[in-house]
Amino acid sequence: MPFLLLTGKGAQEKLSIMKAMKRWGYIIALILSCALTSCQAASEIIEPTVLPPGDSFEFFQDGYFQAVLPTWDESPELDTDSIYMVYKDGQFIGINRYQNLPEIFAKQFLSAIEDDPEAYLVQQSDIDGKPLFEFTTREDNQTMRIQAVLDYCQGMTYALIAGGRDSVKNTELFQEVLSSTSCQDPYQIPNLETGKIGLMVNAAQDETWEGYYPALRMAKEAGVQVLHTYLQWAEVEPNEGERFWEWQDALMGYRLHENFEISLVVNLIHTGVRGPMPEDLQGRAFDDPEFIDRFTEFILEVLDRYPVQYLAIGNEVNDYFVSHRSEIPAYKEFFLAVRERIHERYPDIQVAMTFAYHDAETTHSLDIIRELDVGDYLPLTLYIYNPGFKFNRDPQELAGYLERILALAGEKPVAIVETGWNTSESLSGSQSDQEAYVHEVFRMLDKHREQIEFISWFALHDSLIENSYRTALTFLPPGAPQIRDEEFMKSFVDFLNYFGLLENDGTPKKAWVAFQDEASSYLINHEEER
């Protein structure tokens, strides 16, 4: 049951960067002309390796971001993105902050320099993997030489900028300052080998662009190690020869900068239907050689861009094949061919396809799982409910389900990539039962942690009803009779909508408190075993 992320606005436009570059010149002019002001007191003094006579150093901190700056005079003027600037003798060092990722911002930054007739790129390199630019710009008939290093911290790109007139005389000082940036985040992702805590992270109020990092932060501080997420082929490649990565680059960039492990599902099969794919490949047989080659080319580029630990090709595939059994041999051939190519380049990535265990039992189709369980691990979704999506079951039934799942898997590692408990009253759900299910999930994870790669909760937040309705339609073929069945659609939409540990507006449910408490206790007990 994948949650389809909404599209949102892209990264910042390069026009704003060009304007920011112009404002730097304005600020520099102010620095050169305004009266001196006293610099704020340093919070901590360090012993520098390069220091002009009469200068000292201080730590600058903004949240977890930290840099070492000389105790020059503080600028009385800042532009929109600047948070701090000091200056002395025509030189300046400033810190700007942007809601962006360094890799994306660096491309826009370079483009802005190239498009500005008053700017000239001197060099582009890096400092300890952080993008570094050196360029010149002219303002008021003065040429300024500027260096900027980009660093990531707390969902932001921090640009530490140093330069001014005759900046060569401060080359060593600037090098030390530019090399000093760091992110002193006290929260670290756990590093368990098995029995990992997973979560499908979505933003409060469905504000994916503005709200995704805050939601990611909640997961990190709660002790989550694995993020379970989804990718649709056609979203990136709607037509042959077209690839649009910006949206995925942004979402994946935040996940990877925060050091989460990634469980990625490519929705080639989307539960009961085929997932979106390039226009010219729709309707092709899975074992069509061109289909295999094109998907292999696509997925290898995905893995080149995004380091992932777990890859599932197809989501809840048994729900599709229960009605398309004749296609099982073709899909198996397709999968094995792609898996072999992936392992040639990325031997450590675990590759499989995801099955819906709860549906396999109710439709008596466990044989499909046995036939297609040819991956490196066995990823499953698991929801415990009765017909009509009714959550009038006992959360403790999870124990029996896991016993049957582990018996089915044998020696193969298992991942419960989606599980959760719905709180909609219309589906007999409740916060108390959801809370009880959280406790049961962690109890089972603790008991079977050597056999389970991870258990991932679906999801962090409830969605909005209108968005869940659009998501519901993606699970049904066009013109399906269920779409006209109001009672079915209401139940299905409520089923998709109310699995969150928090309500859509961010209000915590009882289960969120339980999740944090259980995760904390679990990690205290098991991180010491590493």
Side-chain angles (χ1 to χ4, degrees):
M1 184 180 67
F3 183 90
L4 303 181
L5 285 167
L6 303 176
T7 56
K9 73 174 184 178
Q12 297 176 1
E13 298 291 339
K14 70 179 181 182
L15 177 61
S16 65
I17 302 170
M18 297 176 70
K19 290 179 179 178
M21 291 173 59
K22 292 293 186 184
R23 286 197 297 269
W24 293 344
Y26 169 71
I27 293 167
I28 296 166
L30 285 171
I31 289 172
L32 299 178
S33 61
C34 72
L36 298 182
T37 59
S38 59
C39 184
Q40 64 186 28
S43 59
E44 186 174 354
I45 304 300
I46 65 169
E47 192 69 31
T49 58
V50 178
L51 189 64
D55 277 336
S56 60
F57 274 70
E58 65 177 348
F59 278 119
F60 170 86
Q61 290 185 305
D62 181 65
Y64 299 139
F65 174 80
Q66 180 175 283
V68 178
L69 306 180
T71 52
W72 292 352
D73 295 296
E74 184 178 351
S75 171
E77 299 285 346
L78 296 174
D79 72 51
T80 303
D81 299 308
S82 293
I83 56 175
Y84 190 62
M85 182 176 286
V86 294
Y87 65 95
K88 180 179 181 180
D89 298 334
Q91 311 295 298
F92 76 97
I93 299 172
I95 298 173
N96 285 18
R97 183 180 60 203
Y98 305 92
Q99 184 178 344
N100 211 323
L101 293 165
E103 297 80 9
I104 296 174
F105 188 83
K107 294 176 183 178
Q108 297 171 342
F109 192 87
L110 178 60
S111 179
I113 293 173
E114 292 173 343
D115 291 345
D116 186 348
E118 299 295 328
Y120 172 75
L121 180 67
V122 177
Q123 68 162 323
Q124 177 187 3
S125 58
D126 69 87
I127 297 178
D128 297 328
K130 305 165 191 172
L132 172 69
F133 297 91
E134 183 175 357
F135 65 100
T136 61
T137 186
R138 288 188 60 78
E139 189 76 20
D140 296 331
N141 295 319
Q142 295 187 86
T143 298
M144 302 294 171
R145 193 178 188 95
I146 299 171
Q147 293 175 292
V149 65
L150 308 179
D151 202 357
Y152 173 88
C153 193
Q154 288 180 272
M156 298 286 184
T157 288
Y158 286 82
L160 198 160
I161 307 154
R165 297 178 305 180
D166 303 322
S167 61
V168 174
K169 70 180 183 180
N170 278 327
T171 297
E172 293 183 346
L173 171 65
F174 285 168
Q175 181 69 27
E176 181 167 328
V177 169
L178 293 168
S179 300
S180 72
T181 66
S182 64
C183 188
Q184 302 295 324
D185 190 342
Y187 293 93
Q188 300 300 314
I189 299 299
N191 189 27
L192 298 175
E193 293 297 323
T194 60
K196 304 168 188 176
I197 302 169
L199 183 65
M200 203 296 292
V201 172
N202 59 326
Q205 300 179 328
D206 290 5
E207 289 288 345
T208 304
W209 178 252
E210 298 292 340
Y212 187 66
Y213 176 76
L216 208 63
R217 189 75 210 178
M218 294 176 69
K220 185 174 185 178
E221 294 184 7
V224 170
Q225 183 171 347
V226 178
L227 294 182
H228 187 64
T229 189
Y230 315 93
L231 174 67
Q232 298 181 71
W233 188 0
E235 182 183 79
V236 175
E237 185 183 353
N239 297 290
E240 184 177 9
E242 297 179 353
R243 297 275 173 86
F244 301 100
W245 296 103
E246 181 182 52
W247 186 237
Q248 286 297 327
D249 282 351
L251 294 177
M252 276 292 189
Y254 285 114
R255 298 163 185 153
L256 297 172
H257 270 290
E258 297 293 335
N259 296 315
F260 286 101
E261 291 186 15
I262 305 297
S263 166
L264 176 65
V265 180
V266 181
N267 287 22
L268 199 61
I269 290 175
H270 179 47
T271 308
V273 299
R274 287 196 179 202
M277 59 187 65
E279 184 72 26
D280 63 303
L281 294 178
Q282 293 181 15
R284 294 282 190 97
F286 290 118
D287 58 352
D288 182 308
E290 184 180 359
F291 187 91
I292 293 174
D293 288 343
R294 285 273 299 281
F295 182 79
T296 300
E297 177 188 352
F298 168 74
I299 198 63
L300 287 176
E301 185 170 354
V302 170
L303 299 176
D304 289 344
R305 299 177 79 92
Y306 313 131
V308 307
Q309 286 69 41
Y310 305 94
L311 173 66
I313 302 173
N315 190 62
E316 299 182 319
V317 301
N318 54 297
D319 281 356
Y320 176 81
F321 288 119
V322 75
S323 301
H324 301 84
R325 285 181 174 271
S326 63
E327 298 181 43
I328 290 176
Y331 196 78
K332 186 174 183 179
E333 180 180 340
F334 156 80
F335 174 83
L336 290 173
V338 174
R339 175 176 171 266
E340 181 178 5
R341 290 281 301 279
I342 291 171
H343 279 167
E344 288 174 0
R345 188 179 299 184
Y346 295 103
D348 294 332
I349 293 178
Q350 297 198 53
V351 185
M353 63 187 84
T354 298
F355 304 95
Y357 186 82
H358 48 294
D359 290 343
E361 284 199 343
T362 57
T363 59
H364 307 290
S365 56
L366 287 170
D367 62 297
I368 296 176
I369 298 180
R370 295 188 183 97
E371 173 69 14
L372 288 175
D373 181 19
V374 290
D376 303 313
Y377 67 115
L378 179 57
L380 301 160
T381 66
L382 177 60
Y383 298 96
I384 303 173
Y385 59 90
N386 280 322
F389 306 107
K390 297 295 185 180
F391 279 77
N392 50 6
R393 305 277 292 272
D394 185 346
Q396 293 189 357
E397 291 182 55
L398 176 62
Y401 274 93
L402 276 179
E403 288 178 6
R404 297 193 294 277
I405 286 171
L406 295 175
L408 176 67
E411 298 298 317
K412 185 169 290 188
V414 169
I416 307 299
V417 299
E418 290 181 26
T419 196
W421 198 274
N422 196 288
T423 60
S424 173
E425 292 182 3
S426 69
L427 303 179
S428 303
S430 70
Q431 287 202 29
S432 295
D433 280 349
Q434 187 187 53
E435 179 185 28
Y437 191 68
V438 166
H439 291 303
E440 192 66 11
V441 165
F442 276 96
R443 189 175 76 85
M444 290 296 101
L445 182 62
D446 185 74
K447 180 178 180 180
H448 300 292
R449 60 182 306 271
E450 297 300 327
Q451 299 165 270
I452 296 176
E453 289 285 314
F454 63 91
I455 295 182
S456 180
W457 185 275
F458 184 95
L460 181 58
H461 289 96
D462 289 342
S463 188
L464 293 169
I465 286 292
E466 56 268 30
N467 292 332
S468 289
Y469 180 82
R470 286 193 287 269
T471 297
L473 295 177
T474 69
F475 289 90
L476 302 169
Q482 296 96 321
I483 298 174
R484 298 187 298 274
D485 186 334
E486 293 184 6
E487 183 178 350
F488 170 84
M489 287 300 293
K490 183 182 185 309
S491 295
F492 188 32
V493 169
D494 285 351
F495 173 75
L496 295 174
N497 199 74
Y498 293 107
F499 280 100
L501 295 167
L502 300 96
E503 296 177 12
N504 183 254
D505 65 1
T507 302
K509 301 179 186 179
K510 295 178 180 178
W512 176 236
V513 177
F515 186 94
Q516 294 176 91
D517 290 344
E518 289 282 4
S520 176
S521 298
Y522 178 81
L523 291 172
I524 288 172
N525 291 334
H526 295 298
E527 276 202 294
E528 298 174 354
E529 299 174 9
R530 290 190 285 116

